[in-house]
Amino acid sequence: MSSADVTLQAAAAQINHARSEKTLRPSIAGFFDEGTFTVSYVVHDPDTLEAAIIDSVLDYEAAAGRTSCASADRIIEYVNSNSLKVTWLIETHVHADHISAAPYLQEKLGGKLAIGAEIVRVQEVFGKLFNAGTDFERDGSQFDQLFSGGDTFCIGKIEGIALHVPGHTPADMAFIIGDAAFVGDTIFMPDFGTARADFPGGDARQLFQSIRRLLSLPDETRLFLCHDYKAPGRDEFAWETTVGQQRRENVHVKDGVSEDEFVAMRTIRDATLAMPNLIIPSVQVNMRGGRLPEPEDNGVSYIKIPVNAV
């Protein structure tokens, strides 16, 4: 850990404090959506019952262009059955593989919708790609809160701090809540490795640096991942690991792997990957805070498909 990395030092101090004081550790429930291999989380303070929902999923049937809310309704049922009060709806980044249910959840449960401040870069790039027009604001105003690295927040009495971890996209954030880190798409289970870095604004070298920054947190830090794809030989989905386990076992970025080795591996591997199945609808909706494009004069919202442009 660099002596100049004040944000990381603060995050490590928070984690150690939470580990020494049980009441500062959050209760965490994961909700796995096998259709998109996405894990959404409800994170709450057991004392005050204040909660955050992280990386929610709106069900989307691509062939019919239809949305539904079964995945989000599971979260609503959990929140209500545990008498939780939602204060935050957090996105780790603009997802390219699923649509966010945050506006639906906000309508039903309340809370402030938050994302990293670099969302404006993503909005600029994809606003142009999808020819979103001048009515589409590229200033992050679709969200209630834009987090920069080092910003702090609370869920009840439990402290949180935002870390900027670019590489997968320029806007990726990790959120340290008590002794737990929600790391989005930066890293996967140790037997599966790391996220791709070939989306617009992605950078494999930045991704390596962001991951190694996360892995300089205390070994006992709990890491909660946004996706799992079951590596070959593993029969069960999994989404919780630790910094120590990742440093020992991650097949792409464990201790001893150099930055240049990682960049070479990631570049070669990314060139073989197909685009995510839902990238076209997901980005158009998620860059708007999970809201569909404005309806046209017939009252219908449309998703554009750019031909030979992605």
Side-chain angles (χ1 to χ4, degrees):
M1 185 186 304
S2 167
S3 61
D5 197 332
V6 176
T7 297
L8 207 61
Q9 290 176 354
Q14 175 189 293
I15 291 163
N16 288 329
H17 187 202
R19 287 190 56 77
S20 68
E21 178 52 68
K22 187 176 180 180
T23 61
L24 300 179
R25 302 178 206 166
S27 177
I28 300 165
F31 297 81
F32 186 69
D33 174 53
E34 191 166 347
T36 62
F37 304 101
T38 301
V39 192
S40 305
Y41 295 98
V42 178
V43 185
H44 80 267
D45 174 0
D47 186 16
T48 66
L49 299 183
E50 289 191 12
I53 299 171
I54 300 175
D55 290 337
S56 61
V57 174
L58 184 72
D59 302 304
Y60 181 73
E61 184 183 353
R66 290 187 179 276
T67 63
S68 57
C69 300
S71 294
D73 286 340
R74 288 171 57 208
I75 290 176
I76 292 172
E77 181 181 5
Y78 176 85
V79 167
N80 288 337
S81 65
N82 288 278
S83 302
L84 304 182
K85 177 185 177 182
V86 174
T87 55
W88 291 102
L89 300 152
I90 294 173
E91 303 289 345
T92 55
H93 63 296
V94 173
H95 307 278
D97 43 29
H98 72 271
I99 293 174
S100 169
Y104 174 75
L105 292 169
Q106 189 174 45
E107 178 185 346
K108 300 293 185 179
L109 300 171
K112 295 172 66 174
L113 176 55
I115 200 168
E118 292 298 311
I119 177 65
V120 297
R121 290 181 58 188
V122 177
Q123 289 177 327
E124 184 63 29
V125 169
F126 286 103
K128 290 178 179 176
L129 175 63
F130 293 111
N131 198 28
T134 56
D135 288 341
F136 170 56
E137 299 292 343
R138 294 161 170 82
D139 58 2
S141 58
Q142 299 86 350
F143 299 83
D144 301 311
Q145 176 79 36
L146 301 181
F147 281 116
S148 297
D151 286 350
T152 59
F153 60 100
C154 289
I155 300 171
K157 297 177 182 178
I158 295 177
E159 298 175 330
I161 188 167
L163 298 180
H164 185 213
V165 287
H168 174 61
T169 79
D172 277 64
M173 302 293 290
F175 294 92
I176 317 301
I177 301 173
D179 67 329
F182 298 85
V183 298
D185 287 12
T186 53
I187 198 166
F188 301 136
M189 290 300 290
D191 57 359
F192 200 88
T194 58
R196 67 196 297 166
D198 61 333
F199 293 148
D203 185 287
R205 200 166 295 278
Q206 270 194 334
L207 180 60
F208 179 87
Q209 294 166 2
S210 291
I211 291 172
R212 293 308 306 183
R213 191 166 175 244
L214 284 168
L215 297 188
S216 69
L217 291 169
D219 278 0
E220 301 80 9
T221 305
R222 296 184 288 165
L223 301 183
F224 290 88
L225 317 178
C226 190
H227 296 287
D228 186 54
Y229 304 97
K230 282 199 301 192
R234 175 156 53 87
D235 296 328
E236 301 294 330
F237 289 108
W239 47 82
E240 181 179 352
T241 177
T242 66
V243 164
Q245 185 185 18
Q246 293 283 5
R247 292 185 63 170
R248 293 188 302 270
E249 302 174 16
N250 189 282
V251 294
H252 292 167
V253 73
K254 63 186 174 184
D255 287 355
V257 175
S258 73
E259 183 173 318
D260 287 342
E261 288 172 333
F262 176 83
V263 170
M265 177 282 300
R266 192 71 264 170
T267 302
I268 292 169
R269 183 179 176 87
D270 288 353
T272 71
L273 299 178
M275 286 290 103
N277 290 335
L278 296 182
I279 187 171
I280 297 298
S282 295
V283 172
Q284 288 180 76
V285 174
N286 294 338
M287 71 181 184
R288 293 176 165 88
R291 298 171 185 86
L292 296 174
E294 285 296 315
E296 298 193 6
D297 55 12
N298 62 353
V300 177
S301 293
Y302 290 89
I303 299 293
K304 296 179 179 179
I305 301 178
V307 179
N308 299 325
V310 177

